[in-house]
Amino acid sequence: MSEEKLEFQAEVSRLLHLMVNAVYSDKEVFLRELISNASDACDKLRYRAITEPELIADEPEFRVVIGIDKEARTLSIADNGIGMDRADLISNLGTIARSGTSAFVDGLTGDSKKDVQLIGQFGVGFYSVFMIADKVDVVSRKAGDAQAWRWSSDGTGSFTIDEDSREHRGTTILMHLKPDAEQWLDAEHLKAAVKRYSDHIDLPIALTTDGNVEETVNAASALWTRPKSEVTEDQYTEFYRHAGHSFDEPWLTLHYKAEGKIEYSALLFVPTMRPFDLFDPARQHRVKLYVKRVFITDEAEGLIPPYLRFLRGVVDSQDLPLNISREMLQNTPLIANMRQALTRRVLTELKRKAEKVPEEYGTFWENFGAVLKEGLYEDSERRDDLLTLARFRSTASDGWVSLAEYVGRMKEGQSAIYYITGDNLESVKQSPQLEGFRARGVEVLLLTDPVDDFWLSSVHDYDEKPLKSATRGAADLSELKRDDDAEESADEAPVRDAEIATLIALLKQNLGELVKDVRSTDRLTDSPVCLVADDGDLDMRLERMLKAHQQTQQSSRRILELNPKHALIKGLCARAQESGAADDLADIAFLLLDQARIIEGEPVPDPAAFSRRMAAVMTKAV
Ligand code: ADP
């Protein structure tokens, strides 16, 4: 077969264009990416060789050799890992299979400073070599295959694939260095960087200069097996970046060895930055499972609960059999036991952070709180811990509030924890349903994550105080004193019940089945009307969301609430007593309902009718 030319996937082309032209200050990351890939390739083969030992019979020791050729101005990284065949090369080094990639690429702004940061979050892996090389050859021979293949590219639009030869299995990346990447030909410079990026991995990395004697550069022992006291902060950071292909710093590092009923070591990290695909449904945790220091899988289902999927790092079990298949993993109770133990440790550590560094914890919560809240309905055993860890926005302050703080400052006579859900803070703060709470100084939690509606349907109380929606059911605010004035002026006095009863009856008559009820409320102070859900019905936002996702066809009828202190309602009450009121109030009844819908973010079902009625009422007014 002769050389074939193939195009990069469009997203890859765009990323490469950025890579090649980026003024990325941290070009060195290419080295970390390539060393991580080489180490992953060895890990994968080591695992396969447990059941197919013949794959590594010719070269049983795994290693990586990094070579400098000053004359040719090339740098090479060769591993004897699993290798790639033709199809692997095309898909692994021509596309990015990660879900969410095209959305990510579309999100790039063209402003290279911002984009570089985004790229850091995304992680470009292998493609980062084009920051320092203007041509790259990858020669690879898959373990068990006789044929080797060469992939070549200058990083602009296309690559070529051709047959090649290689003495043993594995992959060699040959980089033809750019003129401004000279420093990589300097053995001392290279050595220092390699040491930094590989000291923590369990794989010897050797250096050869112009074909001269090899020397092993790194300590080659797995970081998590070392005692905590012997590991530096920098080593943890490097390991975190290696294991998670991350670019940021770890915010929390948890390193321990469990001994007793189950034995394992864990080295886990919580990132500082939110990964770009955190909310992608396909995203899994990034914790690698090892058994007695042999890598098994980075997709151990059930090892980490989905609501901790932002964790990265390594768990190394002493108890699992080495030859366990990935399929068997799912069914072993050992994994479930480890999951419970790991979860407990992580949550305890988070609690400690929340107490010790509340500011930092707030940032953590901003990044990952929405994910942790999934645990409130997924893991009932840990619910209390998670409720303690949860932070909320509220009407009382701009910062984060815990439920304990909320309960600590509840008003005299207040029996429930109130919340309101909405799409964003700004709009939810404007909700008319909050007016009465505000006037009485009653704090309301503002919940704006889509997940909130879900956990709220399974968590009913905290510290024996019921959680109550401010937009559902009757507001029992009459018991609570208003903050602003002890005595209400005549102006503010509500219309009497008997007077409003006639208005209510007329509105009901006009609106018929469109509303479940019409009633007077003390929930409002400034707005004339609002909609609320009946006690047993779905919260309005949840229903909207379920509809948008085709999860329900249902449209619950809502309750239209009237503010008996509002001038408009008072005027309408007076009008309702006069003869012929029923007809006159018809347009107004619909306008009140539509107005309440608009504030709520519900669609107006008949905009043409709305406009006609509005014009009619305004005509009368002018
Ligand atoms: P990532 O490592 O994040 O998956 P990369 O772009 O670095 O992304 O690599 C893409 C894929 O190419 C890897 O997932 C792996 O399957 C393959 N690959 C890269 N380098 C090697 C190597 N040295 N040996 C075997 N496979 C490799």
Side-chain angles (χ1 to χ4, degrees), residues 33-34 36-42 44 77 79 81-84 88 91-93 95-96 98 123-127 138 140 170-173 245:
E33 294 299 315
L34 295 190
S36 289
N37 282 348
S39 140
D40 291 350
C42 292
K44 282 180 201 161
I77 298 187
D79 64 65
I82 194 142
M84 290 177 274
D88 292 337
S91 73
N92 291 339
L93 308 186
T95 63
I96 299 181
R98 252 177 298 167
V124 280
F126 167 79
Y127 301 111
V138 179
S140 195
T171 303
T172 304
I173 317 275
H245 288 263

